[in-house]
Amino acid sequence: MIHAEHLTKAFDGFVALDNLDTTIAEGSIYGLVGSNGSGKSTLLRLISGVYYPNGGWVRINDQDVYENPALKNRIFFLSDDLYFLNKATVDEMADFYSRVYTNFSWEKYAEYKQLFPIDTKKRISTFSKGMKRQAAIMLALSCCPDYLLLDEAFDGLDPVIRLLVKKLIMGEIADRNMTVVVTSHNLRELEDLCDHVGLLHKGRILFERELDDLKLGLCKVQAVLPREVIWDEVGLNVMQCKRQGSVVNLLVRGPAEESLEIVREAGASFAEAVPLTLEEVFIGEMEGVGYDYDNLIF
Amino acid sequence: MTMTTLSSEGRLRRLCGGMIKRNRSFMLYFGVLLFVLYPLQYTLHIFDENFDKRLANAANGFGSINLLGGANDHLTETTAILLCMAVFLMTLVIGLSQFAYLHSKKAVDVYHELPVNRSTLALSNIIAGFVTVMLPLAANYLLVLVVGVVKRATNPLFPIIGGGLIVDLLCWAVVVFAVLSIIAFVAVQVGSIFDNFLFSCELLVVFPAVIYLTINLFQQMLRGYSYSNNDFRWLLYTSPITLMIEHYSSGHKTMADTRYLQCLLVVVVWLLITLLLLWLTMKLYRKRPSEIAESSTARKPLVQLGVLAGTYIGGTLCGLLFSQISSRLDERYSFVIWTVIFSALIYVMAQVILQRGFKGIGKSLLPGAVTVGAIAVFCIILATGGLGYETRVPAAADVKSVSVDYRGRYSNNTLLLAETQSTYEDEKMPGVTFYNYRSKGDVDLDTPAGIAAVQRLHQVAGDRTLDNTAGENRYWTSSLIITYTLQNGRRLTRNYDYNELGAVKHELLALENTEEFKKETHPVFMMDAKNFASFVVNDALGFYQANITAQADMQRLMDALKADMLAEDLTKLEDVVELAPCYITFEPATPTNCLQLDRDAYNEGRVMVRSSYTNTLQVLRQLGLEQFVEPRIEEIAEMRVYYDNHFYRNNSPIVMMDMGNLKQYAKDMHHSYDVEEQDSMVSLVTDASQMARITSKMFNLGCIDTTPMSVVFYDAEGNYGGCAQIRTEDLPAQVLKVFPQWVWEEKGFDVPIAVEATHYESSIAVVGGADGPTEVYVAE
């Protein structure tokens, strides 16, 4: 279990993480979403022991990660900005990791070589962005980490390889109860992959919960309402309301059935609940803290 | 699935193995480079056809065995320099490359997430760099050993070099380890590879550079500042990159050499410093924020040291350079002003480089002002005499003895130092042992009069208002070193260039005039007649020579000389010249190379017998050598004046003709110049009145600052005798007019050429010159 408490990290006066508390359960796939500069990558670097916190702590199974080789042997952090040794091939990189990760599996590596369409004897510097990403994922999975930290891991991968990677990750979780923390701005991607989601904004977790709970907690209602309604007065927690003539689109916090009932009671001639995407949840929540398109542009 | 369990040591080993594997190409390149610079050069050298001959000569006592440089002669001098440069350069490159990951955000993510603690990571990089440099180096040393063994097999005289090579390699190991550790130490404190390079170079060169520059500043700015060139080697100890240079030069003769052993001790000290540095590096690395990668961040002490050293070195160097260029101000104050200006400019430039622009430069202004101010204060102290350094003369009561590296007018009489005895054999005379000695170059004085004379000399020499232009025509080129041994056991040394001492003629004469100095510098006071085979007496004109061989006569002469020399007042010689009637040469009883000394001694000597040496002249009379008592001018039938001169020049204001070679000089001049030739360098004098004038002015001893001409004497049969000197201004105009103007100009004669006549009550002569007749005013 990954546990952070009062975690704070600042760079030259800029507070990237501010008193952050979070818990990531063993065997879960935790999606970390947030605005640009919200501290997602910083959190991953703190979990992987690359950074040392200015305040608070982050522990895995009650052990500090920083300068803890035994624990780090079970963690693999795949950065969004990939690095390979100068002029190295994938095979040479595998040799590099195998020398320090005791769980490195050459069998798995051989298996991945068959699965991923890249030449492991060619210099990585000649690879395309997506191929480099494939190489990095191959190497990461070959290290057999118990905690895999992926920062924009799917960036540059084609849809087929994305599916392959997701399948491989799912397989590792099923086989070894691997815990995955993944950040991405492609919320659609996370929606398919994650079972937990945390929303990070200005260095703090705005909320975190299971994806199903998150979707159940919010709903989108489309209704035909000839008149204006003050939703607070009728007891509906509306996060977003858009009207076009008599058609109203509402983003509501609360269960779908209850919300539909209130809308109908408010005089709607027609009302239906539409499924929410994670992106809509993200935008809705971010608007709630003043981070919306209108505020950014106007 | 293959799983292994790795300890920290296991990870270190495997990580190092991987890094070394990746450095294979570098090692190969470095190995080839070293091969070209070292084993190949060595092989070519020792298999050269002349090498065996020189080796045989060295073995037979002709010359030393040091045919190559380095410990046990295994390096050519060129190789030593190139080898040092190549190893330092490669170590620097590999060191920067090993730690480059710390200065890339992408790389640091990968390295710092590895299941390795930072100490292990840093150590792996140092070990990998170390092996990458040392492996090719060791391989090449091994090759040299193999070549040496092959050579030894073909020539048994070739020395065994194995021990020296092992010591060398161990020293290299420490040096490479130290350089890599310094790079690591800097790498964990800075954010970019540029800064790593900059600050690593700073730590590697700053100490020798600052010390070297400071010593030079002291030498340039502080009158009398003394620093032996030999002591400059201490500079080489202050950095690992200069240590091997000293190691190679110190081990020139034997590994048991004190200097060599001292250098090895310094290598051990560097090993300890490196271990301490490594421990500090680990501590700093554990706390190093990964996020400083790619930033211009560096720890303050490194930056401050770099900026301070850079400002000091750059500022003072520019100050020295510009103070030479502009001559409107006194050079010292000009130096201060230019140094302050350039220190300020260099400080700002350093900040701009470190901060990658002018942003934030305002914050640096106050520390900058303090830095420049400190440098200015230092320069002002130097310019104003180093807080009394220049004027400090120890009180007589505090002085136990004093040594001056000045042996006066008789410095060509060599006092052999028994303790420096060395022996050798000549292949032509097997079984015979020959001896070598070094001679004493200074005088030790401990009487109050002697010490007082040196103090007075020191006082005047240290006065920066001294007129340095006085006596500048003299050929003084060496230095004057005064070393006091104080009552408390400490020593105080001052070193003056003779260029600075034009006006201390009076003080030098006073020193030479002390009884103690006289006794310390001439064989008559130290030796007996029995030490010499004979005395050869020559008259001043070179017409007569006599040999005295009876011990009793020789001893009488020596006793008389002692009395006369002690009685003579040399201070009266200032600006005076005279023709001493004769000179005496003490011929050695034993050739010097066969002389086995048990105390310091003279084996030969010369003395100029002045007219005032009444006792000596009396003994000569009693010995029936009347012709040496007074120069027999009347026997000169003709004379020739040559533009050449043959004064023996030592550091004394009293100059004397080179007594051992007067006849030879006369012969050389006689055969070199033709009196009939137009524009000749020689003037024939036969006119009685002109000869009378010349004989009245000529001299073979005296105090002059100008360059004289030579006079060679001929008897009635046309045979040349010896020679004497004459000042150009004392020559009759008719004699002088033979010499073309270019001779005067080229030789720097002090004859006033085409100057205002108002300065002289003179006769006027018209002489030929390159551009036609020139009016010349000759002082009468």
Side-chain angles (χ1 to χ4, degrees), chain B residues 554-762:
Chain B
M554 287 163 64
Q555 192 57 52
R556 278 175 63 201
L557 260 179
M558 282 188 95
D559 292 341
L561 279 166
K562 268 188 223 174
D564 288 334
M565 287 174 79
L566 284 177
E568 75 178 326
D569 186 354
L570 292 170
T571 58
K572 289 187 177 165
L573 261 177
E574 193 167 348
D575 300 324
V576 172
V577 293
E578 65 181 44
L579 188 71
C582 67
Y583 56 91
I584 301 172
T585 305
F586 304 172
E587 293 293 340
T590 313
T592 305
N593 61 355
C594 296
L595 198 63
Q596 193 175 1
L597 293 177
D598 52 9
R599 67 175 183 100
D600 298 349
Y602 293 91
N603 194 38
E604 57 191 345
R606 293 191 179 90
V607 60
M608 190 71 89
V609 181
R610 299 174 62 194
S611 310
S612 58
Y613 287 18
T614 50
N615 297 305
T616 308
L617 294 174
Q618 181 63 25
V619 173
L620 288 174
R621 275 195 199 95
Q622 288 166 359
L623 293 173
L625 301 172
E626 198 67 44
Q627 65 274 38
F628 298 97
V629 174
E630 211 174 312
R632 298 200 165 174
I633 302 293
E634 66 280 8
E635 291 184 17
I636 302 172
E638 66 173 51
M639 52 177 66
R640 293 177 193 180
V641 178
Y642 295 87
Y643 85 93
D644 227 338
N645 81 85
H646 287 284
F647 250 30
Y648 175 76
R649 292 283 177 183
N650 55 19
N651 292 332
S652 171
I654 305 167
V655 284
M656 293 189 295
M657 295 204 67
D658 185 353
M659 293 174 269
N661 295 299
L662 290 186
K663 204 84 174 170
Q664 184 62 38
Y665 292 149
K667 182 183 172 186
D668 290 346
M669 286 187 280
H670 175 78
H671 291 294
S672 300
Y673 304 108
D674 183 356
V675 289
E676 303 300 328
E677 210 174 284
Q678 285 292 317
D679 282 345
S680 174
M681 304 298 115
V682 55
S683 174
L684 177 65
V685 186
T686 50
D687 177 75
S689 64
Q690 285 179 14
M691 287 209 294
R693 176 175 169 77
I694 290 171
T695 50
S696 69
K697 298 286 184 182
M698 68 186 187
F699 58 93
N700 54 15
L701 171 148
C703 272
I704 59 164
D705 291 332
T706 56
T707 308
M709 287 178 152
S710 294
V711 185
V712 177
F713 315 109
Y714 292 80
D715 62 17
E717 287 153 17
N719 299 318
Y720 58 80
C723 62
Q725 306 290 297
I726 187 161
R727 284 183 282 217
T728 46
E729 60 266 39
D730 291 336
L731 280 170
Q734 290 80 356
V735 174
L736 192 60
K737 74 178 183 182
V738 172
F739 299 98
Q741 186 178 334
W742 69 263
V743 169
W744 304 342
E745 289 169 351
E746 211 168 77
K747 294 294 169 185
F749 291 171
D750 284 356
V751 176
I753 302 165
V755 295
E756 290 78 8
T758 51
H759 292 298
Y760 303 95
E761 291 177 11
S762 56

Side-chain angles (χ1 to χ4, degrees), chain A residues 9 45 50 66 72 77 102, chain B residues 4 109 112-113 290-291:
Chain A
K9 182 69 187 173
R45 286 189 173 91
V50 173
Y66 192 81
K72 285 168 90 173
F77 166 51
T102 57
Chain B
T4 48
D109 275 351
H112 284 176
E113 66 142 342
S290 300
E291 59 269 25

Side-chain angles (χ1 to χ4, degrees), chain B residues 122-403:
Chain B
L123 207 55
S124 319
N125 279 292
I126 290 174
I127 293 171
F130 180 81
V131 172
T132 306
V133 176
M134 286 306 293
L135 213 57
L137 191 61
N140 278 287
Y141 262 81
L142 188 65
L143 210 53
V144 164
L145 185 63
V146 171
V147 173
V149 169
V150 171
K151 178 72 187 175
R152 169 87 171 176
T154 60
N155 186 342
L157 293 174
F158 191 74
I160 298 287
I161 54 173
L165 292 183
I166 291 167
V167 174
D168 262 21
L169 262 183
L170 290 174
C171 290
W172 271 123
V174 172
V175 164
V176 170
F177 182 38
V179 173
L180 288 169
S181 299
I182 286 173
I183 294 169
F185 177 69
V186 174
V188 300
Q189 298 183 69
V190 299
S192 73
I193 198 160
F194 171 74
D195 285 342
N196 195 10
F197 171 74
L198 199 71
F199 290 112
S200 294
C201 289
E202 170 198 309
L203 289 186
L204 288 170
V205 303
V206 73
F207 298 109
V210 166
I211 296 170
Y212 181 78
L213 178 69
T214 306
I215 288 170
N216 273 293
L217 277 179
F218 285 173
Q219 281 182 331
Q220 295 235 5
M221 305 299 292
L222 284 181
R223 197 180 177 88
Y225 180 75
S226 170
Y227 197 94
S228 158
N229 280 339
N230 197 33
D231 292 341
F232 269 96
R233 69 194 158 95
W234 286 101
L235 293 186
L236 303 177
Y237 291 157
T238 59
S239 167
I241 66 163
T242 47
L243 193 54
M244 282 310 281
I245 297 170
E246 169 58 16
H247 173 75
Y248 280 140
S249 52
S250 67
H252 203 61
K253 283 181 179 163
T254 157
M255 283 170 64
D257 189 82
T258 315
R259 193 172 152 196
Y260 183 77
L261 293 174
Q262 193 177 42
C263 190
L264 288 183
L265 187 68
V266 177
V267 171
V268 174
V269 171
W270 263 108
L271 179 63
L272 297 175
I273 293 171
T274 304
L275 291 173
L276 184 72
L277 205 63
L278 201 61
W279 173 77
L280 202 59
T281 303
M282 301 307 176
K283 274 190 81 99
L284 289 168
Y285 190 22
R286 278 196 285 272
K287 290 179 181 171
R288 180 188 194 267
S290 300
E291 59 269 25
I292 66 168
E294 293 180 22
S295 70
S296 58
T297 314
R299 279 188 172 253
K300 269 193 172 177
L302 269 186
V303 176
Q304 283 164 345
L305 178 68
V307 170
L308 188 63
T311 308
Y312 171 68
I313 293 171
T316 49
L317 276 179
C318 291
L320 277 177
L321 182 72
F322 278 74
S323 65
Q324 306 287 326
I325 292 170
S326 80
S327 57
R328 282 183 177 274
L329 270 173
D330 176 279
E331 197 179 297
R332 293 172 191 230
Y333 295 106
S334 178
F335 162 73
V336 175
I337 292 166
W338 285 116
T339 300
V340 169
I341 291 170
F342 277 100
S343 297
L345 290 174
I346 288 166
Y347 180 87
V348 172
M349 189 169 72
Q351 292 298 335
V352 169
I353 291 170
L354 290 170
Q355 296 179 22
R356 314 291 194 267
F358 282 91
K359 199 176 173 187
I361 200 100
K363 284 183 190 168
S364 314
L365 288 181
L366 184 62
V370 173
T371 304
V372 174
I375 293 171
V377 168
F378 174 69
C379 292
I380 289 168
I381 288 172
L382 285 185
T384 52
L387 299 174
Y389 179 92
E390 288 184 344
T391 50
R392 188 188 165 205
V393 178
D398 297 337
V399 180
K400 192 175 171 189
S401 66
V402 64
S403 158

Side-chain angles (χ1 to χ4, degrees), chain B residues 476-496:
Chain B
W476 284 338
T477 52
S478 65
S479 60
L480 174 72
I481 302 173
I482 299 170
T483 305
Y484 297 95
T485 302
L486 304 178
Q487 296 289 1
N488 59 14
R490 298 181 69 177
R491 292 162 83 89
L492 187 143
T493 304
R494 293 292 183 268
N495 186 346
Y496 299 98

Side-chain angles (χ1 to χ4, degrees), chain A residues 216 218-219 221 236 254-265 272-273:
Chain A
L216 290 173
L218 289 172
C219 65
V221 177
L236 196 65
E257 287 308 312
E258 279 179 27
S259 303
L260 273 176
E261 193 56 43
I262 293 169
V263 172
R264 283 185 188 123
E265 281 173 10
E272 67 169 350

